[in-house]
C-alpha cells in the first residue's frame, strides 16, 4: 500500500475485472477499502454488474472498456482512475487469454492472440501504470502455474506467454524499488472460471488437493500482496495451485 494509503483516497485498477478471477479481485479490493476501476474487453454487462455490486455495498467503482492490447485505451483507463477515483495505489494486471493446441497445428492467429494479450497487453498496462502509481504502491500481475509446471501437451504457447511475465516482473521490481513500489506475479493453477469451463473434473484429478481453485482464493493472495504487510515481497512469482503436478 502506498505511503498515502491511509488518506482514504486509495484507488486500484484491475485490468480484466469483469469476470472470473479479475471480478473476484475487484470485489476483494473494494472490501479492503480501495476505490476500484475495472476494465473489460467486450462484456459491458458483466463489468457493470461488478461495478454496481461494489457501489451497492457502499464502495466506489467504475467500469471502463479498454482492450489491453491498445496503448491509447489503456492510458485512458489509467487517466479515468485519476479523474474519477483518485491517485493510483494498486494496479492488477489480470486480463489474459487461453488457446490450446499442439504446436504442430497451433493456428498462427491464436499464437498472435496469446502473445498480444498475455505479453504485449501486460507490457502496455505495466507501462501505463508506472507513472500513475504512487510511491509505495503495488503492481501485481496474474500469470499462471504453467510458467513452472508442465501443464498439458497443448499448453506450450500459453505457458510460454506466462513465463514471459515472470521476467517482466523481475525486471520491473528492480526498476521500481527506488520508489518502494513492489511488483509481484501471482501464478494460479486451475481456477473455476469461464476459462476452465468443462475442464474442472479432469483438472481436479491432477491436483493433490483434488479440486480446482476458486477465484476468491486468488483474490485473497492479491489482497495480501496489496497490503502493507507485504511490503518486503517484490520480484516474486507466487504459485497458488493446490500442489498441481504432472
Ligand atoms: N482460470 C484459470 O484456471 C487460470 C489459471 C491460471 C491463470 N489464469 C489467468 O488468470 C487471468 C484471469 O483468468 P480467468 O480464468 O478469470 O479468465 P476469464 O474468466 O476468461 O476472464 C478474462 C477477463 O479478462 C478480460 N480480458 C480478456 N482479454 C482482454 C483484453 N484484450 N483486454 C482487456 N480485458 C480482457 C475479460 O474481459 P471480457 O469479460 O470483456 O471478455 C475478463 O474480464 C488470466 O490472465 C488467465 O490467464 C487463469
Amino acid at each position: 500500500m502506498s505511503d498515502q494509503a491511509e488518506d482514504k483516497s486509495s484507488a486500484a485498477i484491475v485490468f480484466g475485472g469483469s469476470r472470473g478471477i479479475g471480478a473476484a479481485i475487484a470485489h476483494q479490493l473494494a472490501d479492503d477499502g480501495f476505490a476500484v476501476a475495472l476494465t473489460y474487453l467486450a462484456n459491458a454487462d458483466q463489468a457493470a454488474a461488478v461495478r454496481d455490486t461494489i457501489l451497492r455495498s457502499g464502495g466506489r467503482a467504475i467500469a471502463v472498456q479498454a482492450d489491453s492490447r491498445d496503448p491509447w485505451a489503456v492510458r485512458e483507463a489509467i487517466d479515468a482512475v485519476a479523474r474519477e477515483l483518485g491517485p493510483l495505489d494498486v494496479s492488477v494486471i489480470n486480463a489474459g487469454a487461453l488457446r490450446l493446441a499442439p504446436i504442430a497445428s497451433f493456428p498462427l492467429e491464436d499464437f498472435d492472440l496469446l502473445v498480444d494479450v498475455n505479453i504485449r497487453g501486460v507490457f502496455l498496462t505495466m507501462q501505463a501504470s508506472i507513472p500513475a502509481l504512487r510511491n509505495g504502491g503495488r503492481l501485481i500481475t496474474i500469470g499462471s502455474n504453467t510458467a513452472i509446471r508442465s501443464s498439458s501437451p497443448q499448453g506450450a504457447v500459453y505457458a510460454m506467454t506466462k513465463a514471459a511475465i515472470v521476467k517482466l516482473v523481475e525486471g520491473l521490481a528492480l526498476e521500481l524499488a527506488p520508489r518502494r513500489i513492489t511488483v509481484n506475479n501471482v501464478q494460479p493453477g486451475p481456477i473455476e472460471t469461464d476459462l476452465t469451463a468443462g475442464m474442472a473434473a479432469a483438472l481436479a484429478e491432477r491436483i493433490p488437493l483434488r479440486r480446482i481453485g476458486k477465484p476468491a482464493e486468488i483474490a485473497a493472495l492479491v489482497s495480501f500482496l496489496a497490503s502493507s504487510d507485504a511490503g518486503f515481497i517484490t520480484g516474486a512469482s507466487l504459485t497458488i495451485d493446490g500442489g498441481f503436478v504432472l
Side-chain angles (χ1 to χ4, degrees):
M1 198 175 288
S2 83
D3 299 346
Q4 298 88 348
E6 59 279 3
D7 70 7
K8 294 191 186 309
S9 64
S10 293
I13 188 165
V14 182
F15 290 99
S18 50
R19 292 183 287 128
I21 293 170
I25 293 169
H27 286 302
Q28 179 64 60
L29 292 177
D31 286 350
D32 293 343
F34 291 97
V36 177
L38 55 110
T39 73
Y40 62 95
L41 177 63
N43 284 304
D45 288 351
Q46 281 172 278
V50 175
R51 177 200 62 204
D52 292 346
T53 305
I54 293 171
L55 293 175
R56 275 198 301 276
S57 318
R60 297 167 63 216
I62 57 172
V64 184
Q65 198 281 330
D67 188 335
S68 289
R69 296 165 290 184
D70 176 348
W72 183 85
V74 164
R75 274 200 303 274
E76 274 293 302
I78 291 279
D79 288 349
V81 176
R83 209 170 44 238
E84 299 183 40
L85 299 177
L88 185 67
D89 291 297
V90 178
S91 177
V92 181
I93 300 174
N94 168 76
L98 171 69
R99 294 289 184 278
L100 297 171
I103 290 176
S105 57
F106 207 90
L108 192 53
E109 60 269 27
D110 284 356
F111 180 92
D112 290 342
L113 175 83
L114 292 191
V115 170
D116 260 6
V117 178
N118 296 353
I119 300 179
R120 187 171 189 269
V122 170
F123 172 75
L124 289 174
T125 44
M126 272 181 175
Q127 272 198 326
S129 300
I130 291 165
L133 276 167
R134 288 204 278 195
N135 289 349
R138 303 281 188 259
L139 191 145
I140 301 161
T141 58
I142 307 299
S144 165
N145 75 335
T146 58
I148 57 159
R149 312 266 201 215
S150 292
S151 59
S152 80
Q154 307 195 353
V157 176
Y158 177 76
M160 173 195 77
T161 64
K162 294 299 188 174
I165 294 173
V166 173
K167 289 298 162 188
L168 276 175
V169 161
E170 286 175 6
L172 189 59
L174 292 176
E175 293 175 19
L176 297 188
R179 293 173 55 198
R180 283 167 290 99
I181 296 170
T182 68
V183 184
N184 291 294
N185 178 36
V186 171
Q187 301 190 136
I191 305 297
E192 218 174 293
T193 70
D194 295 343
L195 208 73
T196 53
M199 296 192 270
L203 288 165
E205 276 177 22
R206 298 169 62 195
I207 298 174
L209 290 177
R210 285 291 178 266
R211 67 172 177 87
I212 71 170
K214 298 177 176 38
E217 291 173 314
I218 305 305
L221 180 53
V222 170
S223 169
F224 173 68
L225 288 172
S227 74
S228 53
D229 287 339
F232 199 54
I233 305 174
T234 197
S237 283
L238 304 170
T239 301
I240 170 167
D241 69 353
F244 194 91
V245 287
L246 275 174

